[in-house]
Amino acid sequence: MAVKSKSRQTRFPVARIKKIMQKDDEVGKVAQATPVLISKALEIFMQKLVDEAAREAKSKGSRKVTAYHLKRTVEGIDMFDFLKDLVVAVPDPGDKVAKKEEVLGPDGEPKKRRGRGKGKAKKKQESEEEDEEEEEEADHDDMDEDYE
Amino acid sequence: MSDNEGMMHAGDDDLSLPRATVQKIIQEMLPDGMVCAKDTVTLIIDCCVEFIHLISSQANDICEKESRKTIAPEHILAALKELGFDAYVEEVESVLKEHKVQQKEREKKSNKLNKSEFTEEELLRQQEALFAASRARFAASGGQPGAP
């Protein structure tokens, strides 16, 4: 499946990559070009990961790429073996709690979800149920500062 | 390399890639009409960091075997090959070439500043002439600082 790559405008922060590299105690000095090269390799790697995860999502009829799609991707491709530990905790869709059930509040009325819920710890199971929701979760506005 | 000044450093243990940047990149990479769930962005960031560690660690081993202290571009390329990312080598090599060219340009510019056509005496004379002219203007304006 040929996936069209849009022109890539955004780059990885090279200084940050260097810091990540050097977080490993074994890693000492690093030539100036090195993080730049890793940045490129990372870009290629990420494109592959995203392509495959998107393919998985599409095959499941979803427009939204979820953690589970990523998990399936990692498990299915040898190149991604080193990522297996990272995805092992991702629950399978069958484990989902209350997909679209209405939760009743104290007054007996269905509780509406107010906003996006900024709490990170909030309902991890909910993450799987975002499939049918609107684009609201696809927050492409820059709420965070760009570091570059 | 520039550091992220003005950012609150939560400590190196939280070292990761900036969320907004990665999210943008993911969106650029996804086919039209597809989006990525929020928690999946986090997971992808973790995968990227893991990839950086993987390559760095391998490159570091290669570097040490050569009894060298600085991880050089060729170590990165060798690491990619050893880890099964041969397909990346060509693109990464061309980034390396580009980088070298840019380095030369940078050097040329800084050399130009260092090797001005004037000797140091000439430069001093020019400086003195400029000062004299400035003093003359100052006196002519009635010795008032800030006068036009």
Side-chain angles (χ1 to χ4, degrees), chain A residues 4 6 9-11 15-16 20-21 26 29 31-32 34 40 45 63-67 127 139-140 146, chain B residues 2 4 16 21 23-24 27-28 30 32-35 37 39-40 53 56 60 70-71 88 91 103:
Chain A
K4 178 183 67 164
K6 299 182 209 171
Q9 311 272 347
T10 325
R11 299 271 157 82
R16 183 67 67 90
I20 293 174
M21 288 173 77
E26 302 269 315
K29 290 195 209 163
Q32 198 180 52
T34 307
K40 185 65 188 176
F45 167 78
R63 256 190 322 130
K64 183 174 240 168
V65 179
T66 66
S127 64
D139 174 17
H140 305 304
D146 266 10
Chain B
S2 59
N4 291 328
S16 177
T21 306
Q23 187 156 25
K24 252 196 213 158
Q27 199 52 38
E28 284 171 6
L30 281 172
D32 287 334
M34 295 200 75
V35 294
D39 61 344
T40 312
H53 284 313
S56 305
N60 191 54
T70 307
I71 301 185
Y88 296 16
E91 266 190 80
Q103 282 286 75

Side-chain angles (χ1 to χ4, degrees), chain A residues 1 4 27 38 46 49-50 63 87 89 91 107 112 140:
Chain A
M1 168 172 107
K4 178 183 67 164
V27 171
I38 293 208
M46 221 179 101
L49 190 60
V50 168
R63 256 190 322 130
V87 296
D107 54 354
K112 293 261 183 241
H140 305 304

Side-chain angles (χ1 to χ4, degrees), chain A residues 1 3-21 23-24 26-38 40-51 53-55 57-58 62-68 70-71 74 79-80 82-83 86-87 90 116-117 124 127-128 130 135 137-148, chain B residues 1-4 6-7 9 12-61 63-64 69-74 76-77 80 83-97 99-100 102-103 106:
Chain A
M1 168 172 107
V3 178
K4 178 183 67 164
S5 296
K6 299 182 209 171
S7 77
R8 292 186 210 145
Q9 311 272 347
T10 325
R11 299 271 157 82
F12 291 109
V14 171
R16 183 67 67 90
I17 290 179
K18 184 179 171 199
K19 281 194 192 154
I20 293 174
M21 288 173 77
K23 193 171 160 198
D24 181 348
E26 302 269 315
V27 171
K29 290 195 209 163
V30 142
Q32 198 180 52
T34 307
V36 178
L37 302 184
I38 293 208
K40 185 65 188 176
L42 184 57
E43 206 182 290
I44 305 171
F45 167 78
M46 221 179 101
Q47 178 74 69
K48 176 80 181 172
L49 190 60
V50 168
D51 281 353
R55 183 201 295 240
K58 240 181 177 173
S62 174
R63 256 190 322 130
K64 183 174 240 168
V65 179
T66 66
Y68 182 65
L70 199 65
K71 180 178 183 178
V74 165
M79 185 195 262
F80 297 144
F82 70 101
L83 300 171
L86 292 174
V87 296
V90 175
R116 211 165 284 145
K124 269 198 200 146
S127 64
E128 298 298 334
E130 284 161 8
E135 310 286 273
E137 282 303 330
D139 174 17
H140 305 304
D141 301 325
D142 281 354
M143 287 171 67
D144 308 318
E145 252 180 64
D146 266 10
Y147 290 24
E148 285 296 273
Chain B
M1 300 204 173
S2 59
D3 264 355
N4 291 328
M7 289 298 309
H9 290 278
D12 278 349
D13 282 337
D14 299 334
L15 210 50
S16 177
L17 295 168
R19 191 184 179 83
T21 306
V22 175
Q23 187 156 25
K24 252 196 213 158
I25 295 175
I26 292 173
Q27 199 52 38
E28 284 171 6
M29 289 179 172
L30 281 172
D32 287 334
M34 295 200 75
V35 294
C36 188
K38 245 183 174 176
D39 61 344
T40 312
V41 173
T42 309
L43 206 45
I44 291 181
I45 291 175
D46 291 346
C47 291
C48 289
V49 172
E50 196 63 33
F51 179 81
I52 295 172
H53 284 313
L54 182 72
I55 308 298
S56 305
S57 182
Q58 189 75 13
N60 191 54
D61 287 347
C63 176
E64 280 179 2
K69 292 202 180 144
T70 307
I71 301 185
E74 53 259 36
I76 300 292
L77 293 166
L80 288 170
L83 292 166
F85 297 105
D86 304 54
Y88 296 16
V89 168
E90 203 178 311
E91 266 190 80
V92 173
E93 267 175 344
S94 59
V95 168
L96 179 58
K97 278 196 198 118
H99 181 87
K100 285 185 180 169
Q102 283 169 6
Q103 282 286 75
R106 271 177 240 144

Side-chain angles (χ1 to χ4, degrees), chain A residues 62-125:
Chain A
S62 174
R63 256 190 322 130
K64 183 174 240 168
V65 179
T66 66
Y68 182 65
H69 297 141
L70 199 65
K71 180 178 183 178
R72 294 271 302 173
T73 301
V74 165
E75 288 173 344
I77 296 179
D78 284 345
M79 185 195 262
F80 297 144
D81 269 357
F82 70 101
L83 300 171
K84 283 213 165 109
D85 287 344
L86 292 174
V87 296
V88 75
V90 175
D92 295 343
D95 298 351
K96 260 192 286 186
V97 178
K99 188 161 151 54
K100 270 296 202 181
E101 280 167 26
E102 298 222 68
V103 179
L104 295 183
D107 54 354
E109 293 297 305
K111 249 199 311 198
K112 293 261 183 241
R113 250 176 55 160
R114 267 184 270 133
R116 211 165 284 145
K118 288 194 186 150
K120 283 184 205 165
K122 228 182 199 183
K123 299 174 210 159
K124 269 198 200 146
Q125 292 102 334

Side-chain angles (χ1 to χ4, degrees), chain B residues 104-141:
Chain B
K104 284 210 178 118
E105 298 283 307
R106 271 177 240 144
E107 258 170 66
K108 257 171 71 179
K109 277 191 185 157
S110 92
N111 280 346
K112 194 179 170 190
L113 289 168
N114 291 344
K115 294 176 185 166
S116 148
E117 39 200 67
F118 302 109
T119 65
E120 196 168 339
E121 291 156 12
E122 252 293 314
L123 289 168
L124 278 167
R125 244 178 283 151
Q126 288 176 8
Q127 184 178 52
E128 191 44 42
L130 286 166
F131 283 163
S134 180
R135 282 194 290 269
R137 280 199 302 276
F138 187 72
S141 68

